[in-house]
């Protein structure tokens, strides 16, 4: 099975052929957890795809929130991306170094802000460099562009939304964390969080949708099989959750690629849910 919606991915060969296209904008969306002790901006400054700008998930965020990298207001989002030279009418191609995780978050953010012409470089910077394609440390000189941000509320879920979904089961809750964290058997990487998962949630680790050797998304038929094996019904709407709203976007991407209803993301994810004492939690499979 090929992808039902192939527009969400571009290949390294495609991007190499379109590096100079006037309507293409390239974005480095690399992201790391604090425990990884890596600096994505410094790595970007040392080497990036020619013309790429750096999208800082932790800064293009609601920095007034105690939760990490929460979706900012449409006004802040548009102000920041305008300065990066990203505007209406651009096809935005996002990559990262992980690959797929930070890029998927940026892909979802643009879609949540109403910009649908956005795709992910399949395999990210590792695949690009493994093929001997060009990188540079030259800083880009973006020109301000007009960007219209309109929040698409169908793609975002809050704490109260998830509490209501647990009661009504109107949408499936799908947790993208590793199985041991979902079951409450492994500690959370952020201190102070309880272990386990939301009542009724299904577990689909985001890494199950990625080829571990190539760092690319699995073919469509394999994504569909992994989703089915997790118990998720691809015909029904999903709200995806994870540790802090990043890898949940990989699950949203996988569902998008196979033609499922556009998934929402619980932005606070387990950092919010597991960090409170008034939210229901269960452990085990």
């Amino acid at each position: 099975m090929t992808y039902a919606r192939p527009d969400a991915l571009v290949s390294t060969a495609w991007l190499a052929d379109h590096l100079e296209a006037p309507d293409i904008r390239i974005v480095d969306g690399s992201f790391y957890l604090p425990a990884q002790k890596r600096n994505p901006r410094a790595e970007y400054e040392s080497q990036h795809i020619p013309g790429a700008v750096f999208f800082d998930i932790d800064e293009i965020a609601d920095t007034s929130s105690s939760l990490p990298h929460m979706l900012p207001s449409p006004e802040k989002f548009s102000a920041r991306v305008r300065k990066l030279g990203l505007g209406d009418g651009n096809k935005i191609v996002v990559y990262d170094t992980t690959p797929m995780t930070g890029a998927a978050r940026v892909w979802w953010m643009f879609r949540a802000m109403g910009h649908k012409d956005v795709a992910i470089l399949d395999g990210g910077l590792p695949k690009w460099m493994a093929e001997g394609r060009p990188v540079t440390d030259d800083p880009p000189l973006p020109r301000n562009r007009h960007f219209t941000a309109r929040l698409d509320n169908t793609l975002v879920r809050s704490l109260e939304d998830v509490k209501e979904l647990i009661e009504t089961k109107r949408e499936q809750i799908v947790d993208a964390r590793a199985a041991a964290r979902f079951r409450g058997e492994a500690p959370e990487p952020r201190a102070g969080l309880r272990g386990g998962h939301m009542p009724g949630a299904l577990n689909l680790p985001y890494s199950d949708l990625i080829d571990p050797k190539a760092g690319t998304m699995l073919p469509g038929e394999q994504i569909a099989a992994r989703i089915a094996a997790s118990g998720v019904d691809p015909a029904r709407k999903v709200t995806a959750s994870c540790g802090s709203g990043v890898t949940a976007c990989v699950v949203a991407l996988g569902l998008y690629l196979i033609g499922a209803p556009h998934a929402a993301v619980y932005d606070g994810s387990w950092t919010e849910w597991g960090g409170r004492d008034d939210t229901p939690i269960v452990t085990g499979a």
Side-chain angles (χ1 to χ4, degrees):
M1 183 177 91
T2 57
Y3 296 131
R5 299 190 188 104
D7 58 286
L9 294 175
V10 299
S11 68
T12 49
W14 184 94
L15 184 58
D17 289 342
H18 291 81
L19 272 182
E20 305 297 329
D23 61 332
I24 301 296
R25 297 291 183 274
I26 307 170
V27 173
D28 185 325
S30 298
F31 164 81
Y32 306 113
L33 291 170
Q36 293 175 279
K37 297 181 179 179
R38 292 178 64 178
N39 185 326
R41 184 182 290 276
E43 292 184 19
Y44 159 82
E45 290 173 352
S46 69
Q47 59 180 15
H48 53 264
I49 295 176
V53 294
F54 182 70
F55 188 108
D56 188 340
I57 287 173
D58 285 319
E59 198 285 321
I60 306 178
D62 178 5
T63 50
S64 68
S65 173
S66 61
L67 299 169
H69 41 257
M70 292 288 283
L71 196 67
S73 67
E75 294 76 17
K76 179 175 182 178
F77 187 87
S78 59
R80 293 297 191 272
V81 301
R82 272 202 306 266
K83 291 181 180 179
L84 293 176
L86 310 174
D88 300 337
N90 289 151
K91 181 178 183 65
I92 295 169
V93 177
V94 192
Y95 72 87
D96 63 17
T97 51
T98 331
M100 304 311 294
T101 53
R105 172 71 184 189
V106 177
W107 170 82
W108 171 78
M109 290 177 72
F110 272 100
R111 290 178 51 76
M113 290 296 174
H115 190 93
K116 307 304 185 187
D117 196 3
V118 56
I120 296 171
L121 179 64
D122 203 16
L125 189 64
K127 187 172 189 293
W128 178 269
M129 293 183 64
E131 295 168 350
R133 302 190 189 276
V135 293
T136 182
D137 60 1
D138 291 339
L141 300 172
R143 296 171 59 184
N144 274 24
R145 301 270 302 184
H146 179 74
F147 185 93
T148 306
R150 297 187 182 91
L151 183 62
D152 182 348
N153 288 304
T154 68
L155 298 182
V156 189
R157 294 289 177 264
S158 68
L159 176 81
E160 294 305 318
D161 292 332
V162 174
K163 286 182 176 179
E164 187 263 340
L165 292 177
I166 290 173
E167 294 297 323
T168 65
K169 298 179 173 57
R170 181 169 48 85
E171 295 175 8
Q172 302 168 100
I173 301 172
V174 178
D175 192 320
R177 293 175 300 153
R181 289 171 63 192
F182 176 83
R183 295 192 298 263
E185 298 167 358
E188 288 296 309
R190 289 181 172 84
L193 303 185
R194 294 181 291 161
H197 58 271
M198 302 157 199
L202 298 165
N203 187 210
L204 176 58
Y206 80 93
S207 57
D208 285 359
L209 306 181
I210 299 172
D211 183 318
K213 292 183 178 179
T216 55
M217 292 298 286
L218 291 175
E221 66 275 6
Q222 292 185 36
I223 291 176
R226 299 286 174 89
I227 288 171
S230 73
V232 175
D233 180 355
R236 293 182 57 220
K237 176 86 171 178
V238 161
T239 287
S241 180
C242 60
S244 64
V246 175
T247 59
C249 300
V250 178
V251 169
L253 172 65
L255 289 161
Y256 181 89
L257 288 169
I258 67 166
H262 297 187
V265 169
Y266 170 28
D267 204 16
S269 281
W270 200 253
T271 302
E272 180 174 39
W273 194 273
R276 298 171 65 106
D277 58 12
D278 62 347
T279 47
I281 289 176
V282 294
T283 57

